[in-house]
Amino acid sequence: MTDRSQPETLLNPEHEVMTDTGAKTARGAAFLLGTKLSGRVLDFISLVVLTHLLRPADFGLVSLAMSVIYLAEAVFELPLYQALIVLDLIDKDHLDTAFTLSFLRGFAICIVILVISAPFSIFYHDFRLFPLLMALSLAPAFRGLHSPGIAIYAKQLDFARECAIELLGKGCAVVVAVLVAFTMRSYWAIAAATITNAVASMAVSYVVSAYRPRFTLSRWNDFKSFLGWSSGAQILSAINWQYDRLILGRLVSAPTLGAFSIASDLVGIPSQAIAVPLGRPLLSALVASRNNLDRLRNLYRLSNTTIFMVILPVFIEMSCLSNEIVHTILGPKWEKSVTYISLLAIPPMIAGLAEGIGALVTAFKKNHLYMRLNALEFFLKIPIITGVSFLFGAIGVCWARIGIASIMMVVCLTMTRSLIKTSYTEIFFQNWRTALAGIISCLVMEGLKYNILPSTWPGLARLFILGWAGIGAYVLALLGLWYLTGKKADDIEAKIVGKLLSRFRKPQPQS
């Protein structure tokens, strides 16, 4: 008979002290980042095809329905993946308990959406929402069946299986979206892609992991305390994320909502492709280093500056070149999205200054702080977004997002300083070179656009020239500022330059 008093360890031989956390984090982050970028490329391809085949009103309708799905998922949110990562030891019962909770969550979401779909369609005066919501409820149901065994590998910074799930799921979704859009020219193409992604990802998760599900709640006590604050924070976070679309759905036309949604989705692609995937290996690395504050502080500083350095030029180019992006890639019927993209690209730049606060809070097991952050954003966003939506519509929402992001950035940096015990000067100015290089890049692109490049040139040529000019100016400014400030060996620029130079050095002959 099996002795259940001693848990069956699933982390043998993996469950061991990491001897080179920094190197593993870098390799895991690079691997996951490459996959996420590939996945977002698939999302982008799908989005571009759909924008040419569907109307802005179609995107507005699906955006409204998806807001309900996201909110329902948030209300029943159980951050089981993060909970498993933070546990010191994972056994089979932990995985079974996580699977059971996830299954119950998916089933509950499906039932709730089925119940509210009719009242929601009546409230928004569009009965197409009723069948659309019922179909979309299948997506969270299948997401609830994903294998929790993936967390075992993620805890050891092995993200190969997670990457396979991501790419195969999105690949299937793109194929389905394009086929349905070409044959039906209907918003059902977006819904079909969403459901397909959930089903394919769920199936692949069991193929690539050794886990086989069993229903039990025997390890509930190991999840209970963690899930309380995290679930509440996730609910508030989802409301903060989706509230502007819900309020605009009542106040603006469907084409305007569609243009705003496309702009928001486009701006969200870089964050989802870069910042989010880098957060997972960062969490694992911070957990492994939380007993050594100096090591954790250096790891956080390096990761924060690296992520901000990567994402800043992407958002600057989206903001400066929004006109070229829309007219070259999306087409003239998305003209309204130009202004929305240029403004909505600013909040992620501001938030990037405090990137990593979520992983830091989770690593310290202080999830009540994450709840406080989301509660503060909630109490700022609801009245502000409501007021500006009534007065100024979608443009007002864009400006409100910028203001709220600025306030939250200051709060997050202050909280980060408290957690890692560092000075205000260091925490608030650690990214000043990157920020100044970004400003120089923006000025170069604006100068070229209005003073040098002829407006009669083809949009694709202008986009190509301006984009590369901006990147070149950013890199040169970044290296120049680093050189002028002393070329410190612990700066991220030094690590990048050293890595590049090592690839070009000829190996020394053996004596």
Side-chain angles (χ1 to χ4, degrees):
M1 182 178 294
T2 304
D3 180 8
R4 304 302 293 180
S5 64
Q6 297 296 324
E8 175 191 352
T9 301
L10 296 185
L11 294 176
N12 187 19
E14 290 90 353
H15 186 65
E16 59 186 13
V17 177
M18 295 183 186
T19 58
D20 191 3
T21 304
K24 283 189 176 182
T25 302
R27 287 194 298 269
F31 191 71
L32 192 58
L33 178 60
T35 303
K36 289 291 183 180
L37 284 172
S38 301
R40 293 305 161 183
V41 168
L42 292 175
D43 285 342
F44 181 73
I45 293 172
S46 176
L47 189 65
V48 170
V49 172
L50 292 176
T51 55
H52 285 275
L53 296 176
L54 305 180
R55 302 167 301 163
D58 293 327
F59 281 88
L61 178 69
V62 177
S63 173
L64 200 54
M66 288 304 301
S67 295
V68 178
I69 303 296
Y70 293 140
L71 286 175
E73 288 192 278
V75 169
F76 292 93
E77 176 62 24
L78 299 175
L80 300 168
Y81 179 93
Q82 293 88 337
L84 289 170
I85 292 293
V86 173
L87 287 173
D88 294 324
L89 185 68
I90 303 175
D91 62 30
K92 179 65 164 60
D93 286 344
H94 282 124
L95 297 182
D96 290 336
T97 301
F99 171 80
T100 304
L101 291 171
S102 184
F103 172 82
L104 293 174
R105 170 184 175 269
F107 181 75
I109 292 172
C110 197
I111 296 301
V112 168
I113 293 175
L114 291 177
V115 170
I116 69 173
S117 56
F120 188 82
S121 63
I122 294 172
F123 180 76
Y124 281 93
H125 310 295
D126 195 333
F127 287 96
R128 292 176 298 173
L129 288 167
F130 179 61
L132 185 59
L133 279 170
M134 289 195 296
L136 287 171
S137 68
L138 295 173
F142 280 105
R143 278 194 286 269
L145 296 175
H146 275 217
S147 170
I150 300 301
I152 296 174
Y153 307 101
K155 189 175 177 69
Q156 299 304 310
L157 299 173
D158 177 5
F159 298 98
R161 293 160 182 82
E162 190 172 337
C163 294
I165 295 171
E166 171 90 8
L167 290 180
L168 290 173
K170 288 188 178 298
C172 293
V174 169
V175 172
V176 170
V178 173
L179 288 176
V180 176
F182 267 112
T183 55
M184 297 180 62
R185 300 297 175 103
S186 166
Y187 56 84
W188 281 105
I190 309 173
T194 302
I195 299 168
T196 300
N197 189 8
V199 174
S201 298
M202 182 271 296
V204 176
S205 72
Y206 287 97
V207 174
V208 300
S209 70
Y211 173 74
R212 293 298 175 263
R214 181 174 67 92
F215 289 104
T216 183
L217 293 174
S218 60
R219 296 292 183 183
W220 163 247
N221 288 332
D222 290 336
F223 292 91
K224 182 170 58 176
S225 60
F226 182 89
L227 297 180
W229 289 110
S230 298
S231 299
Q234 188 66 23
I235 293 171
L236 292 177
S237 177
I239 295 174
N240 293 336
W241 179 32
Q242 295 297 321
Y243 181 72
D244 49 12
R245 302 193 193 202
L246 291 172
I247 191 69
L248 288 175
R250 285 283 295 177
L251 299 176
V252 302
S253 65
T256 299
L257 178 60
F260 177 86
S261 299
I262 282 295
S264 185
D265 290 342
L266 276 175
V267 169
I269 287 177
S271 293
Q272 294 293 319
I274 301 171
V276 172
L278 289 178
R280 291 192 174 183
L282 175 60
L283 173 58
S284 298
L286 291 177
V287 169
S289 305
R290 62 187 169 195
N291 293 325
N292 186 329
L293 186 58
D294 288 336
R295 184 181 182 185
L296 184 144
R297 185 188 297 118
N298 291 332
L299 182 61
Y300 173 79
R301 183 186 67 83
L302 184 63
S303 63
N304 174 263
T305 53
T306 303
I307 295 173
F308 186 65
M309 186 181 293
V310 172
I311 66 173
L312 181 64
V314 178
F315 289 116
I316 286 177
E317 299 228 341
M318 292 188 76
S319 183
C320 293
L321 306 180
S322 59
N323 185 68
E324 286 76 13
I325 290 172
V326 169
H327 287 92
T328 303
I329 299 175
L330 302 184
K333 65 182 177 182
W334 296 96
E335 176 69 31
K336 280 188 176 181
S337 296
V338 171
T339 304
Y340 300 150
I341 292 174
S342 66
L343 293 176
L344 290 176
I346 298 175
M349 301 184 211
I350 299 171
L353 291 167
E355 192 64 53
I357 181 64
L360 196 62
V361 167
T362 304
F364 278 106
K365 297 184 179 180
K366 294 187 177 182
N367 298 298
H368 63 284
L369 297 179
Y370 195 51
M371 176 73 172
R372 289 180 187 177
L373 287 175
N374 284 283
L376 175 61
E377 186 176 359
F378 176 84
F379 288 115
L380 285 171
K381 179 165 281 188
I382 298 304
I384 293 175
I385 293 294
T386 301
V388 299
S389 296
F390 273 100
L391 295 174
F392 306 109
I395 290 294
V397 171
C398 294
W399 284 106
R401 277 199 191 183
I402 296 172
I404 294 168
S406 301
I407 296 172
M408 293 306 302
M409 179 268 294
V410 174
V411 174
C412 288
L413 287 180
T414 303
M415 184 177 292
T416 300
R417 172 199 167 272
S418 176
L419 287 170
I420 64 176
K421 312 298 182 188
T422 188
S423 66
Y424 277 110
T425 302
E426 182 177 355
I427 200 68
F428 276 92
F429 295 100
Q430 64 183 8
N431 288 305
W432 74 268
R433 291 195 305 274
T434 302
L436 183 55
I439 294 172
I440 293 172
S441 170
C442 179
L443 293 176
V444 167
M445 286 188 287
E446 292 298 319
L448 284 173
K449 182 166 40 172
Y450 293 109
N451 298 314
I452 297 178
L453 282 184
S455 59
T456 55
W457 280 24
L460 186 60
R462 286 173 56 86
L463 183 61
F464 181 83
I465 294 171
L466 290 170
W468 279 108
I471 292 295
Y474 176 76
V475 172
L476 291 175
L478 200 59
L479 293 175
L481 291 169
W482 173 62
Y483 181 84
L484 292 173
T485 53
K487 298 192 298 181
K488 295 179 182 178
D490 59 345
D491 289 334
I492 182 61
E493 294 92 337
K495 299 182 185 299
I496 295 174
V497 171
K499 190 73 173 177
L500 291 175
L501 289 178
S502 67
R503 292 182 175 274
F504 292 98
R505 289 196 187 104
K506 293 182 179 180
Q508 297 295 325
Q510 297 293 332
S511 58

